[in-house]
Amino acid sequence: QVQLVESGGGLVQPGGSLRLACASSLSIFRANAMGWYRQAPGKERELVARITRGGSTNYADSVKGRFTISRDVAKNTVVLQMNSLEPEDTAVYYCNGDWFGYDSWGQGTQVTVSS
């Protein structure tokens, strides 16, 4: 069973930055894709950013230009760098891994953007 463990969430003021990390027990470079999703209270879970095995990335329109997804080879970790955070970014953020039909989720990390 694949384990994904997120870290880096917390409370930040509007305009601030946070760096989320997702450590995987299985090689992230063998995954079809790795992604970050989020779910705000009363809303459905939505895709935030995704990176494919080949390194292609895509982002939700609401975070383009502010968030960056990347992979840390040495730590086998997927990173989400979040800049210029807005109150609307407040949500639980989940890491997801797709190993060609085997789907795994982390437990989630809370991000709160508030003054």
Side-chain angles (χ1 to χ4, degrees):
Q1 184 176 355
V2 180
Q3 289 188 331
L4 299 175
V5 180
E6 301 103 333
S7 61
L11 173 64
V12 64
Q13 292 186 344
S17 298
L18 281 175
R19 181 180 181 272
L20 304 183
C22 172
S24 173
S25 62
L26 190 62
S27 172
I28 62 173
F29 293 92
R30 293 185 177 182
N32 179 48
M34 300 293 298
W36 284 96
Y37 291 72
R38 67 186 181 187
Q39 187 167 18
K43 294 187 177 181
E44 294 186 353
R45 189 174 296 189
E46 63 174 356
L47 174 67
V48 176
R50 185 173 179 266
I51 184 165
T52 69
R53 187 177 188 180
S56 298
T57 59
N58 62 288
Y59 298 89
D61 288 343
S62 60
V63 307
K64 283 180 181 177
R66 300 188 298 121
F67 291 10
T68 303
I69 188 171
S70 62
R71 296 175 295 186
D72 185 322
V73 176
K75 297 181 180 179
N76 196 37
T77 296
V78 181
V79 174
L80 184 68
Q81 178 65 43
M82 305 186 295
N83 299 327
S84 302
L85 283 161
E86 304 169 352
E88 292 74 22
D89 296 316
T90 295
V92 178
Y93 284 69
Y94 297 91
C95 179
N96 171 264
D98 169 18
W99 280 270
F100 298 96
Y102 183 85
D103 209 41
S104 185
W105 292 89
Q107 80 287 352
T109 185
Q110 176 69 46
V111 171
T112 303
V113 185
S114 175
S115 56

